[in-house]
Amino acid sequence: MATRPLITALSTSILAITSATGALWLAHTNAIEATRLADVLQTLHDEQNTIHDQGVLRELLDTTVTERAELSSYVINGEDETIRFLSRIDNLAAVYGVTLSTDSLTIVPKIRKPYAGLRVVYSFKGSDEAVRVFIGALETIPYSSTVTALSVTKTIDEQTGVTLISGSATLLVSTTQS
Amino acid sequence: MITKKDMLKMVRQVYRQSRGFQLKKSCDPDREWLFILFGTVCLLASGVVCTVIAYSRYDALEAQVTDTTSSVVRYDKATIERALERYRDKEAAFAKLEYTTPTATTMTATSSGQTVDDQNPLDQMPPSTSVRVAN
């Protein structure tokens, strides 16, 4: 009879402590799950953004096919096109009657991002008009190119009286080669 | 010698001691019940508070999502058009020169890409001189 309230108090205390521990454990588990859920939501959000960006980019690529193809045609792309380009200039010189020799051929890495540069140094010799037209052709050749240096020397053959122009030109062309 | 009076005193003392722990003095059922009731109410109340806090904290999980900046390539249509225009002009100028046979009256392109008549700087150069131009 005397121990009955004591047992009640003890069992109640045990129940309370157990409940409190259970509640704390639940709260802790909730916090962990919430953090995980927040990470998952963030990943999902990032993934959605990426998919959206990919869609936008794909649409942009689809709508600009023509322009990009045209622009690419003005840049030397690959070894074969480099050879074609150099041959074209050689042929031009031959057509104009200019004696042409290639002094050096170097790749300048990343001159205009994302393109590298192909630097060609030419030596030429020919009549006044032929050299004039040839230099004009070098300047206007339909590629992303610049004549970065030009040196000309004018001489007149005293015996024949013919004016000869000799010189060198440095041409820098954009290329996709690295 | 132990008298009857002493004996009675001892018996009373032993009897009193044998009554043991007087729970009635420290435990009152009503008071203990109140304590238990109070403890239960406190536990429930703290549980409710914790639940409300947890709900309000985790209900807005989506608001915690930060918007990452996208890095989609920007397409500058105007610049592309200008570049294409420039290359088309260059191509047209080149096409004129490509099929030109050099003669004494030929017009040529200058370093700026513009065509000029009879203003060939090579003509104005005295014989045996050199000119160097570098960009």
Side-chain angles (χ1 to χ4, degrees):
Chain A
M1 176 81 183
T3 54
R4 204 172 155 189
L6 187 65
I7 290 166
T8 311
L10 274 172
S11 57
T12 312
S13 302
I14 289 167
L15 196 68
I17 289 165
T18 312
S19 304
T21 311
L24 282 172
W25 180 79
L26 273 175
H28 178 66
T29 312
N30 266 354
I32 291 170
E33 284 300 307
T35 312
R36 199 176 63 82
L37 192 63
D39 287 347
V40 169
L41 279 172
Q42 183 69 52
T43 310
L44 203 67
H45 184 76
D46 292 348
E47 198 70 25
Q48 278 177 338
N49 271 356
T50 309
I51 290 168
H52 175 260
D53 291 350
Q54 280 176 346
V56 170
L57 196 61
R58 198 175 295 117
E59 196 183 333
L60 183 68
L61 289 173
D62 288 345
T63 53
T64 57
V65 168
T66 322
E67 287 90 343
R68 283 185 299 109
E70 192 178 345
L71 271 180
S72 298
S73 70
Y74 297 122
V75 175
I76 292 176
N77 185 11
E79 200 178 311
D80 290 344
E81 204 170 328
T82 309
I83 293 165
R84 269 202 300 276
F85 172 79
L86 295 172
S87 305
R88 194 174 181 183
I89 292 188
D90 280 346
N91 290 341
L92 273 176
V95 166
Y96 297 149
V98 172
T99 311
L100 186 75
S101 65
T102 308
D103 294 344
S104 75
L105 198 66
T106 47
I107 294 285
V108 184
K110 307 284 178 197
I111 48 154
R112 294 175 194 133
K113 224 174 169 183
Y115 301 116
L118 176 71
R119 180 179 286 138
V120 199
V121 181
Y122 288 112
S123 286
F124 53 83
K125 191 175 183 180
S127 68
D128 182 6
E129 286 303 315
V131 168
R132 252 199 289 177
V133 178
F134 177 69
I135 291 171
L138 277 186
E139 290 254 303
T140 56
I141 195 159
Y143 280 94
S144 170
S145 63
T146 322
V147 176
T148 56
L150 181 67
S151 162
V152 286
T153 307
K154 185 178 182 181
T155 49
I156 297 175
D157 193 329
E158 288 178 1
Q159 290 177 345
T160 57
V162 176
T163 306
L164 282 175
I165 304 287
S166 60
S168 69
T170 305
L171 190 65
L172 188 65
V173 199
S174 298
T175 171
T176 53
Q177 285 176 331
S178 56
Chain B
M1 186 178 173
I2 302 169
T3 60
K4 190 185 174 184
K5 193 182 173 186
D6 291 334
M7 283 284 281
L8 282 172
K9 196 178 174 184
M10 282 169 69
V11 166
R12 264 190 224 112
Q13 199 174 355
V14 167
Y15 178 73
R16 203 180 295 144
Q17 282 177 353
S18 71
R19 287 163 87 181
F21 179 63
Q22 296 296 312
L23 271 173
K24 273 194 171 178
K25 286 182 183 172
S26 59
C27 290
D28 177 35
D30 289 342
R31 190 184 63 194
E32 300 309 320
W33 176 243
L34 275 174
F35 277 151
I36 290 164
L37 206 64
F38 179 74
T40 310
V41 168
C42 281
L43 201 66
L44 281 174
S46 60
V48 168
V49 169
C50 284
T51 309
V52 168
I53 289 170
Y55 177 78
S56 58
R57 188 175 162 190
Y58 305 139
D59 185 47
L61 268 182
E62 281 190 7
Q64 293 177 19
V65 174
T66 51
D67 211 358
T68 48
T69 51
S70 58
S71 56
V72 175
V73 179
R74 199 171 64 87
Y75 183 73
D76 192 348
K77 199 176 169 68
T79 306
I80 299 292
E81 285 300 323
R82 271 203 309 275
L84 284 174
E85 196 67 32
R86 189 182 156 197
Y87 284 125
R88 283 170 194 151
D89 290 348
K90 208 175 168 186
E91 199 165 10
F94 180 76
K96 278 183 193 169
L97 287 171
E98 197 173 19
Y99 303 107
T100 302
T101 308
T103 60
T105 54
T106 304
M107 293 185 294
T108 62
T110 64
S111 59
S112 61
Q114 293 168 331
T115 306
V116 291
D117 292 303
D118 301 327
Q119 287 181 357
N120 182 12
L122 295 177
D123 289 340
Q124 295 159 15
M125 275 173 64
S128 302
T129 54
S130 295
V131 174
R132 289 185 73 83
V133 181
N135 287 343

